[in-house]
Amino acid sequence: MAKKAKKKVAAKAATRIKKTKKAIAVKSVKARKPAAKKAPRKAARRSAAEVAKLRKAVIAGLKSGKSAEAVAQQLGISRPYLYRLNSSG
Protein backbone atom coordinates (compact mmCIF):
# COMPACT_ATOMS: atom_id res chain seq x y z
CA MET A 1 0.00 0.00 0.00
CA ALA A 2 2.87 2.34 0.52
CA LYS A 3 3.68 2.29 -3.22
CA LYS A 4 0.12 3.30 -4.13
CA ALA A 5 0.20 6.19 -1.66
CA LYS A 6 3.49 7.46 -3.11
CA LYS A 7 2.07 7.33 -6.64
CA LYS A 8 -1.00 9.33 -5.58
CA VAL A 9 1.12 11.97 -3.88
CA ALA A 10 3.38 12.23 -6.92
CA ALA A 11 0.37 12.50 -9.23
CA LYS A 12 -1.15 15.28 -7.10
CA ALA A 13 2.13 17.20 -7.10
CA ALA A 14 2.35 16.94 -10.88
CA THR A 15 -1.16 18.32 -11.33
CA ARG A 16 -0.37 21.20 -9.01
CA ILE A 17 2.68 22.11 -11.06
CA LYS A 18 0.65 21.98 -14.28
CA LYS A 19 -2.03 24.24 -12.78
CA THR A 20 0.59 26.72 -11.61
CA LYS A 21 2.27 26.84 -15.01
CA LYS A 22 -1.10 27.31 -16.67
CA ALA A 23 -1.98 30.20 -14.33
CA ILE A 24 1.35 31.89 -15.01
CA ALA A 25 0.90 31.53 -18.74
CA VAL A 26 -2.57 33.09 -18.60
CA LYS A 27 -1.31 36.07 -16.58
CA SER A 28 1.49 36.82 -19.01
CA VAL A 29 -0.83 36.77 -22.05
CA LYS A 30 -3.09 39.55 -20.76
CA ALA A 31 -2.80 42.81 -22.63
CA ARG A 32 -0.99 45.63 -20.88
CA LYS A 33 -1.78 49.30 -21.03
CA PRO A 34 0.69 51.28 -23.11
CA ALA A 35 3.04 53.39 -21.05
CA ALA A 36 2.37 57.11 -21.05
CA LYS A 37 4.88 59.05 -23.11
CA LYS A 38 6.94 61.44 -21.06
CA ALA A 39 8.01 64.82 -22.31
CA PRO A 40 11.63 64.95 -23.40
CA ARG A 41 13.86 65.93 -20.52
CA LYS A 42 15.83 69.14 -20.59
CA ALA A 43 19.51 69.22 -19.79
CA ALA A 44 20.17 68.64 -16.11
CA ARG A 45 22.70 71.48 -15.88
CA ARG A 46 22.48 74.95 -17.34
CA SER A 47 25.35 77.28 -17.96
CA ALA A 48 25.65 80.46 -15.92
CA ALA A 49 24.65 82.51 -18.97
CA GLU A 50 21.46 80.48 -19.43
CA VAL A 51 20.57 80.85 -15.76
CA ALA A 52 21.11 84.61 -15.94
CA LYS A 53 18.83 84.87 -19.01
CA LEU A 54 16.17 82.79 -17.26
CA ARG A 55 16.41 84.93 -14.13
CA LYS A 56 15.90 88.13 -16.16
CA ALA A 57 12.96 86.59 -18.03
CA VAL A 58 11.36 85.43 -14.76
CA ILE A 59 11.66 88.85 -13.15
CA ALA A 60 10.34 90.61 -16.25
CA GLY A 61 7.44 88.15 -16.60
CA LEU A 62 6.36 88.48 -12.98
CA LYS A 63 6.64 92.29 -13.05
CA SER A 64 4.42 92.40 -16.12
CA GLY A 65 1.61 90.83 -14.11
CA LYS A 66 1.62 87.31 -15.53
CA SER A 67 0.95 84.44 -13.19
CA ALA A 68 3.87 82.34 -12.02
CA GLU A 69 2.38 79.29 -13.73
CA ALA A 70 2.11 81.11 -17.07
CA VAL A 71 5.68 82.41 -16.87
CA ALA A 72 7.03 78.97 -15.92
CA GLN A 73 5.16 77.31 -18.77
CA GLN A 74 6.36 79.92 -21.26
CA LEU A 75 9.99 79.45 -20.22
CA GLY A 76 9.73 75.66 -19.95
CA ILE A 77 10.69 75.45 -16.29
CA SER A 78 8.90 74.29 -13.17
CA ARG A 79 7.23 76.69 -10.76
CA PRO A 80 9.54 75.76 -7.84
CA TYR A 81 12.55 76.54 -10.05
CA LEU A 82 10.90 79.81 -11.07
CA TYR A 83 10.51 80.82 -7.42
CA ARG A 84 14.12 79.87 -6.74
CA LEU A 85 15.34 82.00 -9.64
CA ASN A 86 13.16 84.89 -8.47
CA SER A 87 14.39 84.75 -4.85
CA SER A 88 18.10 84.30 -5.55
CA GLY A 89 20.52 87.02 -6.42
Side-chain angles (χ1 to χ4, degrees):
M1 270 216 319
K3 288 182 182 179
K4 286 184 181 179
K6 286 182 182 178
K7 285 183 181 179
K8 285 183 181 179
V9 170
K12 285 183 182 179
T15 56
R16 285 183 193 155
I17 291 171
K18 287 179 184 176
K19 287 179 183 177
T20 306
K21 285 182 181 178
K22 191 173 184 180
I24 291 171
V26 170
K27 286 181 183 177
S28 63
V29 172
K30 290 182 181 178
R32 296 182 181 179
K33 294 179 182 177
K37 291 184 179 179
K38 294 181 181 178
R41 233 180 130 182
K42 300 249 180 173
R45 298 199 177 257
R46 293 184 171 95
S47 67
E50 288 176 324
V51 172
K53 286 179 185 177
L54 278 175
R55 184 174 290 136
K56 286 181 182 180
V58 165
I59 293 169
L62 293 176
K63 281 187 178 180
S64 69
K66 291 182 182 176
S67 68
E69 188 172 347
V71 173
Q73 191 174 18
Q74 181 183 7
L75 296 173
I77 59 175
S78 65
R79 282 189 301 153
Y81 188 53
L82 178 132
Y83 292 124
R84 186 170 180 170
L85 287 173
N86 190 29
S87 66
S88 64

